[in-house]
């Protein structure tokens, strides 16, 4: 029996065991398998391990997507986590190559995946509050949001949960250095039903504006002179 003689349900089941590249390669062999590859039901779960993977054409975004994970654990993540005004030219050039990659991808998710239930982002140092707030608005069924080592996330994301995260049950903001203890406590008061975890976040040194750093340096110099 040839594989193309199987019915649609069997083919979808077989495709579900393959990784994205294998699915894409198999879909190139005939029109029937391409149709299976393009079936939204095949794409309810997506896991990515680097921003580069987001630019490939070996997956499909659609209303069937329910579980999305973008976790980048490379050493290069450390470069993205450096404050912008402290980066040297090499570091800035590196970040410029992919600074908007994850944000642009999540914008597509907002437009195409209204039934998203769970989102995990780790090491996405260029993701901002605006992006997460838009996602909360666009995906009203979102139940789980896990943010780890996303350094640009601030209390604005926490403030958006009572307004737009009506379905949210679990929120992690681990190692997000610009989350404050005050923001955490306020969210816990407003949304006691949300399982909130903020490991290390409020205990880390937050970013400060260059003007503030300059004032602190001047104050330190005056103390030294005295």
């Amino acid at each position: 029996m040839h594989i193309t003689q199987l019915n649609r349900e069997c083919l979808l089941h077989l495709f579900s065991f393959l990784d994205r590249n294998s699915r894409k390669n198999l879909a190139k062999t005939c029109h029937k398998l391409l149709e299976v590859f393009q079936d939204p039901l095949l794409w309810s779960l997506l896991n990515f391990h680097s921003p580069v993977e987001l630019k490939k054409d070996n997956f499909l975004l659609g209303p069937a997507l329910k579980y999305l994970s973008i976790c980048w654990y490379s050493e290069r993540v450390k470069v993205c986590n450096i404050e912008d005004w402290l980066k040297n030219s090499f570091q800035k050039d590196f970040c410029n190559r992919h600074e908007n990659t994850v944000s642009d991808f999540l914008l597509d998710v907002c437009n195409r995946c209204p039934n998203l239930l769970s989102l995990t982002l780790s090491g996405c140092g260029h993701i901002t509050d605006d992006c997460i707030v838009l996602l909360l608005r666009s995906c009203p069924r979102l139940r789980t949001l896990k943010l780890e080592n996303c350094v640009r996330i601030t209390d604005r994301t926490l403030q958006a949960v009572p307004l737009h995260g009506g379905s949210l049950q679990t929120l992690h903001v681990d190692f997000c250095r610009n989350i404050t203890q005050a923001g955490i406590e306020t969210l816990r008061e407003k949304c006691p039903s949300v399982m909130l975890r903020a490991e290390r976040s409020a205990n880390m040194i937050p970013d400060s504006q260059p003007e503030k750093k300059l004032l602190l340096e001047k104050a330190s110099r005056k103390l030294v002179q005295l």
Side-chain angles (χ1 to χ4, degrees), residues 79-80 87 90-99 126:
V79 176
C80 300
K87 291 175 183 174
F90 171 79
Q91 292 166 335
K92 289 180 179 178
D93 180 63
F94 171 77
C95 288
N96 286 339
R97 297 175 194 172
H98 65 267
E99 183 172 8
H126 298 295

Side-chain angles (χ1 to χ4, degrees), residues 79-124:
V79 176
C80 300
N81 289 344
I82 299 173
E83 297 170 40
D84 290 339
W85 53 85
L86 291 178
K87 291 175 183 174
N88 58 39
S89 58
F90 171 79
Q91 292 166 335
K92 289 180 179 178
D93 180 63
F94 171 77
C95 288
N96 286 339
R97 297 175 194 172
H98 65 267
E99 183 172 8
N100 298 316
T101 301
V102 179
S103 298
D104 290 344
F105 180 81
L106 289 179
L107 182 59
D108 284 340
V109 171
C110 291
N111 293 329
R112 302 182 190 182
C113 311
N115 300 313
L116 189 69
L117 299 178
S118 175
L119 173 64
T120 298
L121 300 175
S122 180
C124 300

Side-chain angles (χ1 to χ4, degrees), residues 47-97:
N47 294 318
F48 299 96
H49 303 289
S50 76
V52 175
E53 294 181 7
L54 303 177
K55 295 184 177 182
K56 296 183 178 180
D57 62 346
N58 57 4
F59 61 91
L60 184 72
L61 280 182
L65 181 63
K66 294 183 178 179
Y67 305 95
L68 173 62
S69 172
I70 306 173
C71 297
W72 195 24
Y73 296 116
S74 167
E75 283 293 316
R76 297 177 180 180
V77 172
K78 295 179 180 178
V79 176
C80 300
N81 289 344
I82 299 173
E83 297 170 40
D84 290 339
W85 53 85
L86 291 178
K87 291 175 183 174
N88 58 39
S89 58
F90 171 79
Q91 292 166 335
K92 289 180 179 178
D93 180 63
F94 171 77
C95 288
N96 286 339
R97 297 175 194 172

